[in-house]
Amino acid sequence: MSILVFFISLQVLLVPLVSGASHVCRSYCGNITIDYPFALKSGCGHSGFRDLLFCINDILMFHISSGSYRVLNIDYAYQSLTLHDPHLSTCDSIVLGGRGNGFVVEHWRAPYLNPSADNVFMLLGCSTQSPLFQGFPSGNHVPCRNVSGMGCEEYYGCRGWMDLGLARMGLAYGTGPPICCAIPFDSIKSVNLSRLECQGYSSAYTLAPLRVSGPSEWSYGIRVKYNVEANNDSFCKACEATGGSCGHDVGRFGQLCMCGTWNSTSDCDTVMKLSVGGATSTMVELSGSMITVIAMWLMSFRM
């Protein structure tokens, strides 16, 4: 066997050490693909999204401090998730009694997750003492307004109000606070129904450039935009370009490139690698040294 053929054979044997590493963290839940920055496996994905998604009987769940939501879709191109709260009011059903989750994200997750700008929250049955109405009616502090063409004036026309025995005319608030107050998420930073003293809420979002005729055709749910820092994104691209899968250190939350049987703090082509146990020597380094030794040994027979 020639030295060249031997080297090629040895490299073929070493390929499995790295091949498939880019799929170490990719997984599925039902028909939804779970990929960076999200993950179901410990150590995979971005640290800001850890312990966020759970797959239960092929149903993907999203969990934050305000509760659990079913994930209907992850749009990696638009960088958004679409969530469903079972106690969310729609046009056909108005849910009161404070059963809805609302939307409150942990402070440390706030840089990464927020409802999209075209998402309207309509708070229902809030008390006169609600922080929303402080200074009302003499002050000018009511934040209620339309968001992306959606608001309470149209929502009052939904049949769900009639099922509660409330017709559109009966919803006029006159000198009292409105029974429905539409707001953008940015104006209050969290939809905490208990703190806001509200009985329920609805949430809808637009799907541009789609135009709909009224609230019966709105898309109900919570559209959440996610964000990853530019430096982390560039690290991940470099990692994936060398066959790795983007992850993080579960103890220190630093970036890691997962290369199959070992991890790297940069990418899968660097000389110094970080193994799962924390040592710097890896199978690739050892195999490289082995190739050098064998090459020198074979060359000695040719001299």
Side-chain angles (χ1 to χ4, degrees), residues 70-116:
R70 180 171 181 173
V71 180
L72 303 181
N73 175 57
I74 301 178
D75 188 331
Y76 292 98
Y78 186 66
Q79 293 191 316
S80 70
L81 304 94
T82 304
L83 309 178
H84 171 69
D85 179 349
H87 300 300
L88 177 79
S89 293
T90 63
C91 197
D92 295 328
S93 175
I94 306 297
V95 181
L96 301 177
R99 290 178 288 166
N101 286 322
F103 193 86
V104 182
V105 69
E106 295 89 341
H107 178 72
W108 63 271
R109 287 199 204 271
Y112 310 113
L113 292 165
N114 275 296
S116 61

mmCIF file of all heavy atoms in Angstrom, residues 70-116:
data_model
loop_
_atom_site.group_PDB
_atom_site.id
_atom_site.type_symbol
_atom_site.label_atom_id
_atom_site.label_comp_id
_atom_site.label_asym_id
_atom_site.label_seq_id
_atom_site.Cartn_x
_atom_site.Cartn_y
_atom_site.Cartn_z
ATOM 1 N N ARG A 70 -48.514 27.108 23.577
ATOM 2 C CA ARG A 70 -48.218 26.168 22.496
ATOM 3 C C ARG A 70 -47.566 26.935 21.346
ATOM 4 O O ARG A 70 -48.022 28.024 20.980
ATOM 5 C CB ARG A 70 -49.486 25.479 22.003
ATOM 6 C CG ARG A 70 -49.210 24.487 20.879
ATOM 7 C CD ARG A 70 -50.412 23.658 20.536
ATOM 8 N NE ARG A 70 -50.106 22.708 19.473
ATOM 9 C CZ ARG A 70 -50.934 21.757 19.065
ATOM 10 N NH1 ARG A 70 -52.122 21.628 19.638
ATOM 11 N NH2 ARG A 70 -50.567 20.934 18.091
ATOM 12 N N VAL A 71 -46.495 26.381 20.797
ATOM 13 C CA VAL A 71 -45.822 26.997 19.653
ATOM 14 C C VAL A 71 -46.483 26.490 18.376
ATOM 15 O O VAL A 71 -46.473 25.293 18.095
ATOM 16 C CB VAL A 71 -44.315 26.658 19.637
ATOM 17 C CG1 VAL A 71 -43.641 27.320 18.437
ATOM 18 C CG2 VAL A 71 -43.653 27.107 20.933
ATOM 19 N N LEU A 72 -47.069 27.406 17.624
ATOM 20 C CA LEU A 72 -47.727 27.040 16.369
ATOM 21 C C LEU A 72 -46.746 27.039 15.204
ATOM 22 O O LEU A 72 -46.914 26.278 14.251
ATOM 23 C CB LEU A 72 -48.873 28.017 16.076
ATOM 24 C CG LEU A 72 -49.952 28.136 17.158
ATOM 25 C CD1 LEU A 72 -51.027 29.127 16.715
ATOM 26 C CD2 LEU A 72 -50.571 26.773 17.456
ATOM 27 N N ASN A 73 -45.713 27.885 15.306
ATOM 28 C CA ASN A 73 -44.797 28.023 14.180
ATOM 29 C C ASN A 73 -43.515 28.723 14.631
ATOM 30 O O ASN A 73 -43.543 29.575 15.516
ATOM 31 C CB ASN A 73 -45.469 28.837 13.066
ATOM 32 C CG ASN A 73 -44.537 29.128 11.910
ATOM 33 O OD1 ASN A 73 -43.980 28.227 11.306
ATOM 34 N ND2 ASN A 73 -44.361 30.404 11.606
ATOM 35 N N ILE A 74 -42.395 28.339 14.023
ATOM 36 C CA ILE A 74 -41.134 29.079 14.165
ATOM 37 C C ILE A 74 -40.698 29.477 12.767
ATOM 38 O O ILE A 74 -40.480 28.620 11.909
ATOM 39 C CB ILE A 74 -40.028 28.251 14.842
ATOM 40 C CG1 ILE A 74 -40.460 27.793 16.242
ATOM 41 C CG2 ILE A 74 -38.746 29.081 14.958
ATOM 42 C CD1 ILE A 74 -39.424 26.932 16.950
ATOM 43 N N ASP A 75 -40.609 30.774 12.533
ATOM 44 C CA ASP A 75 -40.193 31.295 11.233
ATOM 45 C C ASP A 75 -38.753 31.776 11.359
ATOM 46 O O ASP A 75 -38.488 32.856 11.873
ATOM 47 C CB ASP A 75 -41.117 32.445 10.808
ATOM 48 C CG ASP A 75 -40.872 32.911 9.384
ATOM 49 O OD1 ASP A 75 -39.730 32.784 8.907
ATOM 50 O OD2 ASP A 75 -41.812 33.415 8.747
ATOM 51 N N TYR A 76 -37.807 30.959 10.899
ATOM 52 C CA TYR A 76 -36.395 31.290 11.048
ATOM 53 C C TYR A 76 -35.981 32.424 10.117
ATOM 54 O O TYR A 76 -35.046 33.170 10.424
ATOM 55 C CB TYR A 76 -35.526 30.053 10.802
ATOM 56 C CG TYR A 76 -35.676 29.009 11.879
ATOM 57 C CD1 TYR A 76 -36.523 27.915 11.705
ATOM 58 C CD2 TYR A 76 -34.991 29.123 13.085
ATOM 59 C CE1 TYR A 76 -36.676 26.957 12.699
ATOM 60 C CE2 TYR A 76 -35.135 28.175 14.093
ATOM 61 C CZ TYR A 76 -35.983 27.096 13.894
ATOM 62 O OH TYR A 76 -36.135 26.158 14.885
ATOM 63 N N ALA A 77 -36.657 32.581 8.992
ATOM 64 C CA ALA A 77 -36.333 33.672 8.065
ATOM 65 C C ALA A 77 -36.758 35.018 8.642
ATOM 66 O O ALA A 77 -36.037 36.011 8.562
ATOM 67 C CB ALA A 77 -36.995 33.431 6.717
ATOM 68 N N TYR A 78 -37.958 35.054 9.252
ATOM 69 C CA TYR A 78 -38.501 36.284 9.833
ATOM 70 C C TYR A 78 -38.068 36.458 11.290
ATOM 71 O O TYR A 78 -38.304 37.484 11.901
ATOM 72 C CB TYR A 78 -40.024 36.260 9.728
ATOM 73 C CG TYR A 78 -40.720 37.520 10.166
ATOM 74 C CD1 TYR A 78 -40.555 38.713 9.470
ATOM 75 C CD2 TYR A 78 -41.552 37.513 11.288
ATOM 76 C CE1 TYR A 78 -41.197 39.871 9.880
ATOM 77 C CE2 TYR A 78 -42.204 38.675 11.705
ATOM 78 C CZ TYR A 78 -42.023 39.839 10.996
ATOM 79 O OH TYR A 78 -42.653 40.993 11.408
ATOM 80 N N GLN A 79 -37.431 35.424 11.850
ATOM 81 C CA GLN A 79 -37.005 35.388 13.253
ATOM 82 C C GLN A 79 -38.189 35.646 14.198
ATOM 83 O O GLN A 79 -38.204 36.603 14.976
ATOM 84 C CB GLN A 79 -35.882 36.398 13.513
ATOM 85 C CG GLN A 79 -34.580 36.063 12.797
ATOM 86 C CD GLN A 79 -33.413 36.895 13.258
ATOM 87 O OE1 GLN A 79 -33.521 38.111 13.433
ATOM 88 N NE2 GLN A 79 -32.268 36.270 13.476
ATOM 89 N N SER A 80 -39.166 34.781 14.132
ATOM 90 C CA SER A 80 -40.344 34.938 14.978
ATOM 91 C C SER A 80 -40.948 33.586 15.350
ATOM 92 O O SER A 80 -40.726 32.575 14.674
ATOM 93 C CB SER A 80 -41.405 35.783 14.259
ATOM 94 O OG SER A 80 -41.960 35.050 13.183
ATOM 95 N N LEU A 81 -41.688 33.601 16.460
ATOM 96 C CA LEU A 81 -42.477 32.450 16.883
ATOM 97 C C LEU A 81 -43.933 32.889 16.967
ATOM 98 O O LEU A 81 -44.222 34.038 17.328
ATOM 99 C CB LEU A 81 -42.056 31.929 18.263
ATOM 100 C CG LEU A 81 -40.615 31.527 18.525
ATOM 101 C CD1 LEU A 81 -39.860 32.699 19.118
ATOM 102 C CD2 LEU A 81 -40.575 30.342 19.494
ATOM 103 N N THR A 82 -44.845 31.988 16.681
ATOM 104 C CA THR A 82 -46.264 32.253 16.855
ATOM 105 C C THR A 82 -46.766 31.368 17.986
ATOM 106 O O THR A 82 -46.630 30.141 17.930
ATOM 107 C CB THR A 82 -47.050 31.960 15.567
ATOM 108 O OG1 THR A 82 -46.493 32.723 14.496
ATOM 109 C CG2 THR A 82 -48.509 32.353 15.731
ATOM 110 N N LEU A 83 -47.316 32.001 19.022
ATOM 111 C CA LEU A 83 -47.735 31.285 20.224
ATOM 112 C C LEU A 83 -49.250 31.305 20.397
ATOM 113 O O LEU A 83 -49.931 32.231 19.953
ATOM 114 C CB LEU A 83 -47.087 31.917 21.465
ATOM 115 C CG LEU A 83 -45.572 32.127 21.432
ATOM 116 C CD1 LEU A 83 -45.122 32.810 22.721
ATOM 117 C CD2 LEU A 83 -44.846 30.810 21.233
ATOM 118 N N HIS A 84 -49.747 30.275 21.074
ATOM 119 C CA HIS A 84 -51.186 30.188 21.373
ATOM 120 C C HIS A 84 -51.383 30.018 22.871
ATOM 121 O O HIS A 84 -50.799 29.132 23.497
ATOM 122 C CB HIS A 84 -51.801 29.002 20.637
ATOM 123 C CG HIS A 84 -53.217 28.712 21.056
ATOM 124 N ND1 HIS A 84 -54.269 29.561 20.764
ATOM 125 C CD2 HIS A 84 -53.743 27.680 21.772
ATOM 126 C CE1 HIS A 84 -55.380 29.055 21.266
ATOM 127 N NE2 HIS A 84 -55.101 27.931 21.880
ATOM 128 N N ASP A 85 -52.216 30.873 23.444
ATOM 129 C CA ASP A 85 -52.631 30.776 24.842
ATOM 130 C C ASP A 85 -54.062 30.234 24.837
ATOM 131 O O ASP A 85 -54.950 30.846 24.233
ATOM 132 C CB ASP A 85 -52.585 32.166 25.494
ATOM 133 C CG ASP A 85 -53.025 32.168 26.947
ATOM 134 O OD1 ASP A 85 -53.561 31.144 27.420
ATOM 135 O OD2 ASP A 85 -52.852 33.201 27.619
ATOM 136 N N PRO A 86 -54.328 29.089 25.476
ATOM 137 C CA PRO A 86 -55.686 28.509 25.438
ATOM 138 C C PRO A 86 -56.765 29.411 26.023
ATOM 139 O O PRO A 86 -57.950 29.236 25.722
ATOM 140 C CB PRO A 86 -55.536 27.215 26.244
ATOM 141 C CG PRO A 86 -54.324 27.417 27.095
ATOM 142 C CD PRO A 86 -53.406 28.270 26.277
ATOM 143 N N HIS A 87 -56.377 30.390 26.841
ATOM 144 C CA HIS A 87 -57.359 31.303 27.433
ATOM 145 C C HIS A 87 -57.327 32.682 26.780
ATOM 146 O O HIS A 87 -57.797 33.662 27.360
ATOM 147 C CB HIS A 87 -57.114 31.429 28.934
ATOM 148 C CG HIS A 87 -57.232 30.127 29.676
ATOM 149 N ND1 HIS A 87 -58.398 29.390 29.688
ATOM 150 C CD2 HIS A 87 -56.321 29.428 30.396
ATOM 151 C CE1 HIS A 87 -58.207 28.282 30.402
ATOM 152 N NE2 HIS A 87 -56.957 28.291 30.844
ATOM 153 N N LEU A 88 -56.799 32.738 25.575
ATOM 154 C CA LEU A 88 -56.777 33.985 24.815
ATOM 155 C C LEU A 88 -58.150 34.227 24.184
ATOM 156 O O LEU A 88 -58.741 33.331 23.585
ATOM 157 C CB LEU A 88 -55.721 33.877 23.711
ATOM 158 C CG LEU A 88 -55.583 35.059 22.761
ATOM 159 C CD1 LEU A 88 -54.784 36.171 23.421
ATOM 160 C CD2 LEU A 88 -54.878 34.626 21.474
ATOM 161 N N SER A 89 -58.687 35.434 24.334
ATOM 162 C CA SER A 89 -59.972 35.769 23.709
ATOM 163 C C SER A 89 -59.779 35.954 22.208
ATOM 164 O O SER A 89 -58.757 36.467 21.750
ATOM 165 C CB SER A 89 -60.544 37.054 24.314
ATOM 166 O OG SER A 89 -60.907 36.856 25.665
ATOM 167 N N THR A 90 -60.778 35.509 21.442
ATOM 168 C CA THR A 90 -60.789 35.700 19.997
ATOM 169 C C THR A 90 -62.057 36.451 19.627
ATOM 170 O O THR A 90 -62.743 36.987 20.508
ATOM 171 C CB THR A 90 -60.742 34.347 19.269
ATOM 172 O OG1 THR A 90 -61.931 33.603 19.599
ATOM 173 C CG2 THR A 90 -59.508 33.540 19.673
ATOM 174 N N CYS A 91 -62.395 36.490 18.361
ATOM 175 C CA CYS A 91 -63.622 37.178 17.963
ATOM 176 C C CYS A 91 -64.853 36.354 18.346
ATOM 177 O O CYS A 91 -65.904 36.896 18.666
ATOM 178 C CB CYS A 91 -63.609 37.432 16.458
ATOM 179 S SG CYS A 91 -64.794 38.688 15.899
ATOM 180 N N ASP A 92 -64.693 35.037 18.349
ATOM 181 C CA ASP A 92 -65.826 34.149 18.642
ATOM 182 C C ASP A 92 -65.997 33.877 20.124
ATOM 183 O O ASP A 92 -67.076 33.470 20.561
ATOM 184 C CB ASP A 92 -65.657 32.812 17.908
ATOM 185 C CG ASP A 92 -65.705 32.963 16.404
ATOM 186 O OD1 ASP A 92 -66.427 33.866 15.928
ATOM 187 O OD2 ASP A 92 -65.031 32.187 15.701
ATOM 188 N N SER A 93 -64.940 34.065 20.908
ATOM 189 C CA SER A 93 -65.009 33.712 22.323
ATOM 190 C C SER A 93 -64.268 34.736 23.172
ATOM 191 O O SER A 93 -63.063 34.947 23.006
ATOM 192 C CB SER A 93 -64.399 32.315 22.527
ATOM 193 O OG SER A 93 -64.337 31.981 23.895
ATOM 194 N N ILE A 94 -65.004 35.377 24.080
ATOM 195 C CA ILE A 94 -64.405 36.326 25.024
ATOM 196 C C ILE A 94 -64.201 35.593 26.347
ATOM 197 O O ILE A 94 -65.160 35.130 26.966
ATOM 198 C CB ILE A 94 -65.310 37.561 25.246
ATOM 199 C CG1 ILE A 94 -65.665 38.212 23.913
ATOM 200 C CG2 ILE A 94 -64.618 38.548 26.177
ATOM 201 C CD1 ILE A 94 -64.499 38.754 23.132
ATOM 202 N N VAL A 95 -62.949 35.452 26.766
ATOM 203 C CA VAL A 95 -62.624 34.700 27.986
ATOM 204 C C VAL A 95 -62.259 35.689 29.092
ATOM 205 O O VAL A 95 -61.255 36.392 29.014
ATOM 206 C CB VAL A 95 -61.448 33.734 27.736
ATOM 207 C CG1 VAL A 95 -61.141 32.935 29.003
ATOM 208 C CG2 VAL A 95 -61.763 32.801 26.576
ATOM 209 N N LEU A 96 -63.083 35.735 30.127
ATOM 210 C CA LEU A 96 -62.822 36.616 31.268
ATOM 211 C C LEU A 96 -62.531 35.769 32.515
ATOM 212 O O LEU A 96 -62.459 34.558 32.441
ATOM 213 C CB LEU A 96 -64.024 37.537 31.495
ATOM 214 C CG LEU A 96 -64.406 38.438 30.307
ATOM 215 C CD1 LEU A 96 -65.657 39.254 30.636
ATOM 216 C CD2 LEU A 96 -63.244 39.350 29.932
ATOM 217 N N GLY A 97 -62.359 36.403 33.645
ATOM 218 C CA GLY A 97 -62.076 35.677 34.869
ATOM 219 C C GLY A 97 -60.598 35.581 35.198
ATOM 220 O O GLY A 97 -60.202 34.853 36.113
ATOM 221 N N GLY A 98 -59.758 36.327 34.452
ATOM 222 C CA GLY A 98 -58.328 36.346 34.747
ATOM 223 C C GLY A 98 -57.614 35.041 34.489
ATOM 224 O O GLY A 98 -56.583 34.761 35.092
ATOM 225 N N ARG A 99 -58.145 34.214 33.565
ATOM 226 C CA ARG A 99 -57.528 32.912 33.314
ATOM 227 C C ARG A 99 -56.391 32.960 32.298
ATOM 228 O O ARG A 99 -55.586 32.037 32.209
ATOM 229 C CB ARG A 99 -58.602 31.918 32.837
ATOM 230 C CG ARG A 99 -59.589 31.513 33.933
ATOM 231 C CD ARG A 99 -60.636 30.577 33.390
ATOM 232 N NE ARG A 99 -61.580 31.266 32.509
ATOM 233 C CZ ARG A 99 -62.431 30.643 31.699
ATOM 234 N NH1 ARG A 99 -62.415 29.317 31.625
ATOM 235 N NH2 ARG A 99 -63.280 31.329 30.968
ATOM 236 N N GLY A 100 -56.315 34.020 31.508
ATOM 237 C CA GLY A 100 -55.289 34.108 30.481
ATOM 238 C C GLY A 100 -53.895 34.304 31.057
ATOM 239 O O GLY A 100 -53.730 34.818 32.168
ATOM 240 N N ASN A 101 -52.896 33.876 30.315
ATOM 241 C CA ASN A 101 -51.514 34.017 30.760
ATOM 242 C C ASN A 101 -51.000 35.450 30.649
ATOM 243 O O ASN A 101 -50.196 35.889 31.461
ATOM 244 C CB ASN A 101 -50.592 33.112 29.926
ATOM 245 C CG ASN A 101 -50.725 31.647 30.291
ATOM 246 O OD1 ASN A 101 -50.876 31.304 31.445
ATOM 247 N ND2 ASN A 101 -50.687 30.780 29.289
ATOM 248 N N GLY A 102 -51.450 36.174 29.608
ATOM 249 C CA GLY A 102 -50.812 37.450 29.309
ATOM 250 C C GLY A 102 -49.450 37.158 28.695
ATOM 251 O O GLY A 102 -49.224 36.095 28.115
ATOM 252 N N PHE A 103 -48.505 38.064 28.863
ATOM 253 C CA PHE A 103 -47.151 37.805 28.361
ATOM 254 C C PHE A 103 -46.156 38.587 29.199
ATOM 255 O O PHE A 103 -46.069 39.811 29.118
ATOM 256 C CB PHE A 103 -47.026 38.202 26.884
ATOM 257 C CG PHE A 103 -45.766 37.684 26.242
ATOM 258 C CD1 PHE A 103 -45.715 36.415 25.690
ATOM 259 C CD2 PHE A 103 -44.621 38.463 26.220
ATOM 260 C CE1 PHE A 103 -44.556 35.925 25.113
ATOM 261 C CE2 PHE A 103 -43.451 37.990 25.644
ATOM 262 C CZ PHE A 103 -43.418 36.720 25.090
ATOM 263 N N VAL A 104 -45.406 37.870 30.013
ATOM 264 C CA VAL A 104 -44.369 38.478 30.857
ATOM 265 C C VAL A 104 -43.104 37.651 30.683
ATOM 266 O O VAL A 104 -43.070 36.469 31.027
ATOM 267 C CB VAL A 104 -44.772 38.495 32.346
ATOM 268 C CG1 VAL A 104 -43.688 39.181 33.168
ATOM 269 C CG2 VAL A 104 -46.115 39.174 32.539
ATOM 270 N N VAL A 105 -42.077 38.257 30.126
ATOM 271 C CA VAL A 105 -40.815 37.557 29.907
ATOM 272 C C VAL A 105 -39.830 37.916 31.009
ATOM 273 O O VAL A 105 -39.858 39.031 31.549
ATOM 274 C CB VAL A 105 -40.251 37.913 28.506
ATOM 275 C CG1 VAL A 105 -39.800 39.361 28.461
ATOM 276 C CG2 VAL A 105 -39.118 36.983 28.113
ATOM 277 N N GLU A 106 -38.986 36.953 31.386
ATOM 278 C CA GLU A 106 -37.986 37.211 32.420
ATOM 279 C C GLU A 106 -37.081 38.370 31.997
ATOM 280 O O GLU A 106 -36.793 38.543 30.817
ATOM 281 C CB GLU A 106 -37.133 35.960 32.660
ATOM 282 C CG GLU A 106 -37.895 34.776 33.229
ATOM 283 C CD GLU A 106 -38.490 33.886 32.148
ATOM 284 O OE1 GLU A 106 -38.638 34.356 30.998
ATOM 285 O OE2 GLU A 106 -38.803 32.721 32.452
ATOM 286 N N HIS A 107 -36.613 39.132 32.984
ATOM 287 C CA HIS A 107 -35.799 40.316 32.690
ATOM 288 C C HIS A 107 -34.562 39.958 31.868
ATOM 289 O O HIS A 107 -34.208 40.671 30.932
ATOM 290 C CB HIS A 107 -35.390 40.997 34.002
ATOM 291 C CG HIS A 107 -34.518 42.201 33.807
ATOM 292 N ND1 HIS A 107 -34.994 43.400 33.297
ATOM 293 C CD2 HIS A 107 -33.177 42.378 34.022
ATOM 294 C CE1 HIS A 107 -34.001 44.269 33.219
ATOM 295 N NE2 HIS A 107 -32.891 43.673 33.647
ATOM 296 N N TRP A 108 -33.915 38.832 32.193
ATOM 297 C CA TRP A 108 -32.680 38.473 31.489
ATOM 298 C C TRP A 108 -32.943 37.989 30.065
ATOM 299 O O TRP A 108 -32.032 37.936 29.240
ATOM 300 C CB TRP A 108 -31.882 37.445 32.289
ATOM 301 C CG TRP A 108 -32.578 36.122 32.487
ATOM 302 C CD1 TRP A 108 -33.412 35.781 33.509
ATOM 303 C CD2 TRP A 108 -32.471 34.964 31.649
ATOM 304 N NE1 TRP A 108 -33.843 34.484 33.363
ATOM 305 C CE2 TRP A 108 -33.272 33.957 32.233
ATOM 306 C CE3 TRP A 108 -31.770 34.677 30.479
ATOM 307 C CZ2 TRP A 108 -33.408 32.681 31.679
ATOM 308 C CZ3 TRP A 108 -31.899 33.414 29.913
ATOM 309 C CH2 TRP A 108 -32.706 32.431 30.506
ATOM 310 N N ARG A 109 -34.207 37.631 29.767
ATOM 311 C CA ARG A 109 -34.543 37.218 28.400
ATOM 312 C C ARG A 109 -35.008 38.392 27.540
ATOM 313 O O ARG A 109 -35.117 38.268 26.320
ATOM 314 C CB ARG A 109 -35.657 36.172 28.417
ATOM 315 C CG ARG A 109 -35.278 34.792 28.885
ATOM 316 C CD ARG A 109 -36.318 33.791 28.406
ATOM 317 N NE ARG A 109 -36.387 32.605 29.198
ATOM 318 C CZ ARG A 109 -35.662 31.505 28.986
ATOM 319 N NH1 ARG A 109 -34.784 31.491 27.994
ATOM 320 N NH2 ARG A 109 -35.801 30.448 29.754
ATOM 321 N N ALA A 110 -35.307 39.514 28.168
ATOM 322 C CA ALA A 110 -35.871 40.657 27.441
ATOM 323 C C ALA A 110 -35.057 41.096 26.221
ATOM 324 O O ALA A 110 -35.635 41.490 25.209
ATOM 325 C CB ALA A 110 -36.086 41.833 28.399
ATOM 326 N N PRO A 111 -33.708 41.045 26.259
ATOM 327 C CA PRO A 111 -32.966 41.444 25.052
ATOM 328 C C PRO A 111 -33.165 40.502 23.881
ATOM 329 O O PRO A 111 -32.868 40.854 22.735
ATOM 330 C CB PRO A 111 -31.499 41.415 25.523
ATOM 331 C CG PRO A 111 -31.567 41.523 27.015
ATOM 332 C CD PRO A 111 -32.813 40.791 27.397
ATOM 333 N N TYR A 112 -33.675 39.290 24.157
ATOM 334 C CA TYR A 112 -33.783 38.282 23.110
ATOM 335 C C TYR A 112 -35.203 38.045 22.618
ATOM 336 O O TYR A 112 -35.402 37.589 21.490
ATOM 337 C CB TYR A 112 -33.228 36.942 23.621
ATOM 338 C CG TYR A 112 -31.865 37.041 24.257
ATOM 339 C CD1 TYR A 112 -31.682 36.801 25.619
ATOM 340 C CD2 TYR A 112 -30.744 37.392 23.507
ATOM 341 C CE1 TYR A 112 -30.427 36.887 26.202
ATOM 342 C CE2 TYR A 112 -29.488 37.492 24.079
ATOM 343 C CZ TYR A 112 -29.336 37.236 25.437
ATOM 344 O OH TYR A 112 -28.091 37.347 26.007
ATOM 345 N N LEU A 113 -36.200 38.315 23.448
ATOM 346 C CA LEU A 113 -37.586 37.974 23.109
ATOM 347 C C LEU A 113 -38.537 39.121 23.423
ATOM 348 O O LEU A 113 -38.560 39.616 24.551
ATOM 349 C CB LEU A 113 -38.040 36.742 23.907
ATOM 350 C CG LEU A 113 -37.396 35.395 23.582
ATOM 351 C CD1 LEU A 113 -37.705 34.404 24.695
ATOM 352 C CD2 LEU A 113 -37.921 34.857 22.260
ATOM 353 N N ASN A 114 -39.342 39.519 22.438
ATOM 354 C CA ASN A 114 -40.386 40.524 22.638
ATOM 355 C C ASN A 114 -41.449 40.363 21.557
ATOM 356 O O ASN A 114 -41.111 40.042 20.416
ATOM 357 C CB ASN A 114 -39.818 41.944 22.578
ATOM 358 C CG ASN A 114 -39.254 42.393 23.921
ATOM 359 O OD1 ASN A 114 -39.994 42.522 24.888
ATOM 360 N ND2 ASN A 114 -37.952 42.621 23.974
ATOM 361 N N PRO A 115 -42.710 40.587 21.892
ATOM 362 C CA PRO A 115 -43.742 40.555 20.857
ATOM 363 C C PRO A 115 -43.420 41.532 19.729
ATOM 364 O O PRO A 115 -42.863 42.609 19.972
ATOM 365 C CB PRO A 115 -45.008 40.956 21.614
ATOM 366 C CG PRO A 115 -44.758 40.481 23.011
ATOM 367 C CD PRO A 115 -43.286 40.744 23.236
ATOM 368 N N SER A 116 -43.765 41.176 18.507
ATOM 369 C CA SER A 116 -43.452 42.018 17.350
ATOM 370 C C SER A 116 -44.240 43.320 17.389
ATOM 371 O O SER A 116 -45.282 43.426 18.051
ATOM 372 C CB SER A 116 -43.748 41.261 16.056
ATOM 373 O OG SER A 116 -45.109 40.906 15.979
#
